[in-house]
Amino acid sequence: MLTLEPVYLLIGAFLLFAAALDLRSRRRAMSAFWAILSLPFLAGEAILAAARHGTHWPAQAMGIGVIALGVMAAVGDRRPSGDEAALANTREAEAIRLGNRLFGPALLIPLVTLLVALATQYGPAPLRALVDTKQSTLIALGIASVVALAVALRVTGARIDSGLHEGHRLLDTLGWAALLPMLLATLGSVFAATGVGDAIAALVAVVIPIDSRIACLLAFAFGIVLFTAIMGNAFAAFPVLMAGIGLPLLVQRHGAHPAVLGSIGMLTGYCGTLLTPMAANFNIVPVVLLELPDQYAVIRAQLPTALVLFVVNVALLWLLAF
């Protein structure tokens, strides 16, 4: 049965490759950053096995590693390696030559992910037995990424080492922002475990009439957008708002359908992602990559979409969740 372990090992190996290239370029802080980050991907199963047997020092070492990542992110050398101007000219010439074919590999990632995830969830029993269904979406994403890389190499005629070097260049450009989705998802779990959701539930009970279905729904919708804007990602806001408002008030008190509330509620939270510089990997890094003069240009462009999407999502929650 295919699990996430091979996907994690591939990611860890790529991070080690990036660390080796940065070390060769004398960017020691960035090299250490990617090397430390590779360890949980390469040794995650061993760390979990040690924890199950009562050995806690590997997990404690990972905690020290997280602190070290913060230090490395602060002192990392973000200077481009090599002749960046010449490389930029080469990439522009290749982009003109290939035209719209360049979009094919990128579009394959969501398409293949969807097809593999659906096939492993609803396909024939022998097919479902090949993949761990509990992690089928993430496994599908890993498969899709490998397929997209193979197609990209075929379309461009490049060698695999070119793809790895370009991946390293992009990874160095993103820097610490590449970690934000993982860290923010963890932050949401920490908030939920420490009772932040209960505190929000107590506050909401004082501020709004909890017997009003529409008041609870609006508090949930505005709250998840606000928390997402503060923390930068709906992964962090979702468990807090579901624990504080979604489950106790909307599901248990007013009978909302949990699946509808969860799916559309998460999408509502991402309206906040479109509006905040805290979502640096979405809203600030593209500004740097595109060399835009206004650091908030992406947010300004997304503002109308976020507002319209928020109104539509609230309407869908009202119509479909109850």
Side-chain angles (χ1 to χ4, degrees):
M1 176 182 291
L2 181 62
T3 66
L4 269 177
E5 183 68 10
V7 178
Y8 287 148
L9 291 176
L10 281 176
I11 295 173
F14 175 67
L15 291 172
L16 274 182
F17 173 78
L21 291 184
D22 279 328
L23 184 61
R24 191 173 66 180
S25 301
R26 298 180 182 274
R27 292 184 289 182
R28 296 180 178 86
M30 287 301 295
S31 176
F33 186 91
W34 300 127
I36 293 171
L37 183 60
S38 71
L39 294 178
F41 288 99
L42 295 173
E45 286 296 321
I47 294 171
L48 289 175
R52 294 190 191 103
H53 288 86
T55 304
H56 299 296
W57 69 262
Q60 294 169 349
M62 288 298 99
I64 296 172
V66 171
I67 297 173
L69 288 178
V71 176
M72 298 301 173
V75 302
D77 187 352
R78 299 290 299 278
R79 292 174 300 169
S81 59
D83 189 348
E84 190 65 19
L87 292 174
N89 292 334
T90 301
R91 287 194 294 269
E92 183 176 355
E94 281 295 289
I96 294 173
R97 180 180 70 87
L98 295 170
N100 290 333
R101 285 182 292 167
L102 278 174
F103 294 102
L107 294 175
L108 272 178
I109 295 178
L111 178 61
V112 174
T113 300
L114 178 63
L115 293 177
V116 174
L118 290 176
T120 54
Q121 286 287 342
Y122 304 106
L127 182 61
R128 295 200 304 271
L130 294 176
V131 175
D132 181 4
T133 55
K134 294 181 180 179
Q135 303 286 348
S136 60
T137 302
L138 293 177
I139 295 172
L141 178 59
I143 295 172
S145 299
V146 173
V147 171
L149 174 61
V151 173
L153 296 177
R154 175 72 175 178
V155 169
T156 60
R159 299 186 307 178
I160 189 168
D161 61 316
S162 299
L164 294 175
H165 280 82
E166 283 299 303
H168 162 252
R169 182 186 64 81
L170 180 59
L171 193 63
D172 267 2
T173 302
L174 292 174
W176 57 266
L179 303 187
L180 278 178
M182 291 183 289
L183 294 179
L184 290 171
T186 305
L187 179 63
S189 300
V190 170
F191 279 3
T194 53
V196 176
D198 296 333
I200 291 176
L203 179 63
V204 168
V206 174
V207 174
I208 69 169
I210 60 175
D211 289 329
S212 171
R213 177 184 294 176
I214 186 63
C216 292
L217 178 61
L218 290 176
F220 174 78
F222 279 106
I224 198 169
V225 170
L226 177 62
F227 265 70
T228 298
I230 292 172
M231 294 190 282
N233 198 294
F235 280 122
F238 182 76
V240 176
L241 269 295
M242 281 299 289
I245 302 176
L247 292 176
L249 297 181
L250 291 174
V251 175
Q252 296 174 0
R253 192 179 188 92
H254 294 290
H257 193 291
V260 174
L261 183 67
S263 57
I264 303 180
M266 175 71 88
L267 184 59
T268 304
Y270 278 109
C271 296
T273 302
L274 299 177
L275 302 174
T276 177
M278 289 297 292
N281 51 331
F282 295 115
N283 299 334
I284 301 302
V285 170
V287 173
V288 176
L289 294 177
L290 297 174
E291 300 180 353
L292 302 178
D294 181 5
Q295 64 176 331
Y296 300 117
V298 172
I299 295 176
R300 296 183 199 280
Q302 293 171 165
L303 177 60
T305 301
L307 296 178
V308 172
L309 187 60
F310 176 77
V311 173
V312 171
N313 283 343
V314 171
L316 289 174
L317 284 170
W318 179 254
L319 294 172
L320 301 177
F322 300 102

